[in-house]
Amino acid sequence: METFLQLLIYGLQLGSIYALIALGYTMVYGIIGLINFAHGDFLMVGAFVALFAVTLFGLGFVPALLISMIITGLLGVSIERIAYKPLRKRPRLSALITAIGVSIVLENFPRALPFIGPAPRPFPQMIPMVKFNVLGVSTNSVQLIMIALSVLLMVMLQIIVTKTQIGRKMRAVSLDKDAASLMGINVNSVISVTFFIGASLAAAGGIFYASTYPMIDVYMGIVLGLKAFIAAVLGGIGNIPGAMVGGIIMGIAEIFATSINSDLGYGIGFVILIFILLVRPAGIMGKFTIEKV
Amino acid sequence: MLEIKDLHVSYGAIKAVKGISFEVREGEIVTLIGANGAGKSTTLRTISGLEATAGGTITFMGQNINNMPPHKIVELGISHVPEGRRVFTNLSVIDNLKLGANLRKDKEAVKKDMKKVFELFPILEKRQNQLAGTLSGGEQQMLAVGRALMTKGKLMLLDEPSMGLAPMIVENIFEIIKEINNEGTTILLIEQNAYMALSIADRAYVLETGNIVLEGSASDLAENDEIKKAYLGA
Ligand SMILES: Nc1ncnc2c1ncn2[C@@H]1O[C@H](COP(=O)(O)OP(=O)(O)O)[C@@H](O)[C@H]1O
Ligand SMILES: [Mg+2]
């Protein structure tokens, strides 16, 4: 029982990180129908921005987190404007291939920079680590704060999407861009806001991940991004609560599988992916629509 | 108020609108009638900025609005009820209406207009918290008109509001179009249902495969033999 709870906490922590990243995949897919293959790299950018904010400018955790979220968010907006927007009326495959290209650039441009480079970097410990025991389960301040912050960000997102005018606009644009523009909605700026939110949540996810597994490198977004993408598919791509649920399930499944065998832990995501594609291709919360990628 | 001169619109190699000219004066109801595929919707979509012009000019209240982004055109005062209603089925009725008013800052006036919409369409008030996707076809058409009213345009473009609706509901919608016009909104109405359209319009244009072939007062056209044969089923 104690091991179970112990694993559950680790699973929740990893799962909430997957969820934050999965949200960006799902929101971007929902609004422009694009699987943004470069999305995983935003979490890497977020982690590096935070690293420099701390090591070069001596910022604390919260300012570093906020600055990283803003810078990564703006990067997401610029990438959409420069790389994806011109292709919006072209066949989907063009944007998909472009996304792969963007991903390669995002990984290899920093790799070529002398002050970043290919080697992994230690990520600073920004939150004082206090360990404690609850009911025989050992946990620590970092873990609990990360989970709490993830939940906070997700609740904020949910409120924005369901209760505010920009949220209404996002849902309208994702359903019908022409009809939305006939309401006087500036579709381009709504798409920008969506990219901003998606990329900044990924940055937060990257920082939370690096705070737990404190080595970062330019390729860290690949596997993490892939798993978060599976989480988004699992929840139903395009569905926001689905991404949250999918992320949590992925994290928990991975931690439990790892406790049995570490290779199994690495592969469990793909097992889940194959399973969900076979039995419920629309995902847990998704509605099935025929959709060309 | 709206002046179209020698408008051309193409979809790739397909020439959908081939140099049409017409105008809508303030306070009028003008109708553009024509068979399926004549280019009616394309004309409206181009006025609203959803399609690019391949030639000609569109002038609204003295300003050239060619190829302006659609949201700017709404801001200038053109509202558009699109073909097939296109309500936001994933949003509640009230959220659909609120989106219509998203450019407007004056909260009090928005509230008043919302009340007005509910007076015109009492059913929408009853259904306000329901998802728009759960409404019947007629109710969705009412919502599409209500939503356009919330944008508070000076000119309202209506694309086949009668499509797919039972005759009683069509009459009801046309009554309301007249009422909207009486309260000061100019109307450009597109219809295949020429009989209904001519019965409420001041003037009419007949569109055939991208060209205007006839124009005149609605009452004259309703008496025109060609029109009777082609569009009124006489
Ligand atoms: N998105 C589109 N792509 C290609 N052709 C189109 C498109 N929309 C309309 N058309 C063509 O343009 C012509 C005019 O269509 P439309 O304006 O919808 O006519 P109407 O509204 O009078 O029925 C038709 O020949 C139609 O097939
Ligand atoms: Mg049409």
Side-chain angles (χ1 to χ4, degrees), chain A:
Chain A
M1 186 61 195
E2 273 151 30
T3 341
F4 177 82
L5 284 179
Q6 185 75 61
L7 291 175
L8 197 62
I9 285 222
Y10 280 112
L12 266 181
Q13 187 191 3
L14 185 61
S16 56
I17 291 169
Y18 287 154
L20 286 178
I21 304 164
L23 283 166
Y25 279 109
T26 236
M27 289 174 74
V28 165
Y29 184 83
I31 207 120
I32 57 170
L34 169 73
I35 309 278
N36 181 15
F37 279 118
H39 183 67
D41 299 305
F42 292 151
L43 72 92
M44 174 272 294
V45 172
F48 272 99
V49 173
L51 172 72
F52 291 124
V54 173
T55 54
L56 296 184
F57 300 97
L59 295 184
F61 177 72
V62 171
L65 175 68
L66 290 178
I67 283 187
S68 166
M69 286 177 75
I70 291 169
I71 291 181
T72 312
L74 293 176
L75 176 73
V77 172
S78 330
I79 285 173
E80 192 277 326
R81 285 282 157 128
I82 296 166
Y84 303 150
K85 184 167 170 254
L87 300 171
R88 217 179 278 156
K89 292 199 167 126
R90 299 296 171 84
R92 291 230 182 139
L93 196 57
S94 316
L96 212 61
I97 292 168
T98 306
I100 295 172
V102 168
S103 170
I104 293 172
V105 171
L106 285 181
E107 286 155 20
N108 290 290
F109 179 70
R111 186 179 189 273
L113 293 175
F115 56 95
I116 297 180
R121 296 284 203 89
F123 194 76
Q125 170 105 44
M126 293 190 274
I127 296 175
M129 171 74 94
V130 185
K131 296 194 168 149
F132 38 98
N133 253 291
V134 190
L135 305 167
V137 177
S138 78
T139 179
N140 60 64
S141 50
V142 174
Q143 198 165 41
L144 295 182
I145 288 173
M146 295 304 141
I147 295 176
L149 282 176
S150 304
V151 171
L152 178 71
L153 287 173
M154 286 189 258
V155 168
M156 276 168 55
L157 176 70
Q158 192 60 18
I159 290 172
I160 289 176
V161 171
T162 58
K163 300 268 187 278
T164 66
Q165 186 78 331
I166 181 68
R168 275 194 282 277
K169 288 184 188 175
M170 286 163 69
R171 286 183 288 155
V173 169
S174 77
L175 187 77
D176 188 334
K177 288 181 190 44
D178 281 356
S181 61
L182 293 180
M183 299 294 100
I185 294 171
N186 184 342
V187 170
N188 287 331
S189 49
V190 173
I191 292 174
S192 290
V193 170
T194 308
F195 266 84
F196 183 89
I197 294 176
S200 62
L201 289 178
I207 293 169
F208 296 171
Y209 187 81
S211 300
T212 318
Y213 307 92
M215 276 303 224
I216 65 173
D217 67 63
V218 294
Y219 297 121
M220 69 185 281
I222 299 177
V223 170
L224 216 51
L226 191 57
K227 287 178 182 169
F229 171 64
I230 295 173
V233 173
L234 173 64
I237 188 114
N239 183 301
I240 287 178
M244 301 180 189
V245 171
I248 302 287
I249 293 178
M250 269 288 288
I252 293 175
E254 184 174 327
I255 294 290
F256 275 88
T258 307
S259 78
I260 300 167
N261 174 301
S262 67
D263 286 333
L264 184 62
Y266 188 83
I268 188 75
F270 301 95
V271 175
I272 292 178
L273 180 63
I274 291 167
F275 183 73
I276 196 81
L277 289 178
L278 285 175
V279 302
R280 200 176 153 79
I284 299 172
M285 329 256 296
K287 273 186 295 207
F288 191 75
T289 46
I290 296 167
E291 195 53 83
K292 276 181 290 186
V293 174

Side-chain angles (χ1 to χ4, degrees), chain B residues 131-192:
Chain B
L131 285 184
T134 65
L135 299 180
S136 73
E139 290 161 0
Q140 289 193 8
Q141 188 60 262
M142 294 172 191
L143 179 56
V145 174
R147 190 178 66 170
L149 278 174
M150 294 305 293
T151 68
K152 200 129 187 102
K154 300 176 192 79
L155 169 67
M156 183 183 276
L157 315 177
L158 285 141
D159 196 339
E160 298 206 40
S162 72
M163 192 164 57
L165 300 184
M168 277 231 331
I169 297 172
V170 173
E171 294 226 358
N172 182 240
I173 298 245
F174 274 75
E175 281 298 315
I176 285 168
I177 294 172
K178 255 189 352 208
E179 203 172 321
I180 292 170
N181 177 247
N182 282 337
E183 287 182 16
T185 307
T186 307
I187 306 260
L188 173 57
L189 168 70
I190 275 185
E191 266 298 337
Q192 281 193 59

